[in-house]
Amino acid sequence: MPNRPHVIDEMISAKAIAARIETLAREIKQEFADTDKLVVIGLLRGSFVFIADLVRELDMVVEVDFLEASSYGDGMESSREVRILKDLRGQIADRDVLVVEDIVDTGHTLAHVTDYLGTRHPRKLKTIALLDKPARREVGFKADWIGFEIPDEFVVGYGIDFAQRNRNLPYIGKVRFI
Ligand code: IMP
Ligand code: MG
């Protein structure tokens, strides 16, 4: 599939992403204003650029942790059955937690991950995703914050891959086969 000839068209510029993150960070700081330390959990690997930019806009005490859930593999289709491949290093019981995801697509990943983390009884558990494709939803999951709503297109860049490529693009682009 990744060998199929394609081009990448810019969909969301690096500048637009940065501006949106400033706004989101302000809202997150308000939501967690009474928190002594926020645990920010990035879902590997797609969220690594987003979480890096987001935490640098949060001038509050944060701890960063990562969780890896099974995903697409090398294809373009969601696997639906979600497994935890790498667990957190830290504790979240009684803590305020923000889960950071790249995209909500079918919704299975975040629905599963929030159920899983919820069993550890965090004080507050919120979710943020940079992108949302509501047209693709299969389970009734809604993130607390969304960067951008996008149509049903396969996107790459800003941490997001197509068969492990294009994560290093500074913008979000859509894959167009030629
Ligand atoms: P969900 O479980 O279907 O919501 O899938 C979420 C995961 O699928 C995201 O964390 C991404 O890793 C992956 N994904 C969904 N849409 C895209 C896309 O357009 N490009 C690359 N990865 C995607
Ligand atoms: Mg993912």
Side-chain angles (χ1 to χ4, degrees):
M1 269 291 249
N3 295 330
R4 229 174 108 192
H6 62 273
V7 292
I8 294 164
D9 300 324
E10 183 172 291
M11 182 190 258
I12 308 170
S13 70
K15 215 173 144 188
I17 297 169
R20 183 71 184 122
I21 288 176
E22 275 185 37
T23 306
L24 292 166
R26 271 199 298 277
E27 293 177 17
I28 291 165
K29 277 186 286 186
Q30 267 169 23
E31 174 65 39
F32 291 104
D34 64 346
T35 299
D36 56 342
K37 182 163 71 173
L38 178 65
V39 184
V40 183
I41 298 175
L43 297 195
L44 292 171
R45 283 170 263 179
S47 71
F48 82 104
V49 177
F50 182 34
I51 193 174
D53 282 347
L54 182 64
V55 293
R56 283 180 292 175
E57 291 295 330
L58 294 175
D59 50 354
M60 58 193 289
V61 181
V62 297
E63 187 178 307
V64 175
D65 207 336
F66 291 97
L67 185 79
E68 185 173 10
S70 60
S71 68
Y72 278 28
D74 276 355
M76 290 174 97
E77 271 308 309
S78 174
S79 47
R80 284 179 189 87
E81 192 193 294
V82 181
R83 287 172 306 126
I84 303 299
L85 302 179
K86 182 207 165 291
D87 211 330
L88 302 177
R89 289 294 296 274
Q91 306 295 318
I92 57 165
D94 288 322
R95 306 286 300 279
D96 286 343
V97 174
L98 177 67
V99 177
V100 181
E101 172 64 314
D102 52 359
I103 309 181
V104 194
D105 187 37
T106 64
H108 288 284
T109 303
L110 269 182
H112 181 87
V113 164
T114 50
D115 280 355
Y116 178 74
L117 295 178
T119 63
R120 293 179 190 176
H121 306 293
R123 189 176 87 94
K124 199 189 262 187
L125 180 63
K126 297 281 180 186
T127 53
I128 181 168
L130 180 68
L131 304 174
D132 186 13
K133 295 191 213 174
R136 297 256 311 161
R137 202 71 89 254
E138 292 177 5
V139 291
F141 182 85
K142 206 171 177 310
D144 296 291
W145 293 278
I146 288 293
F148 303 90
E149 229 179 72
I150 60 167
D152 181 11
E153 302 276 4
F154 197 82
V155 294
V156 293
Y158 198 73
I160 300 165
D161 73 303
F162 178 22
Q164 301 309 326
R165 290 165 48 165
N166 306 122
R167 291 192 196 274
N168 54 325
L169 286 177
Y171 55 87
I172 299 285
K174 78 175 184 200
V175 175
R176 178 163 55 88
F177 293 103
I178 48 174

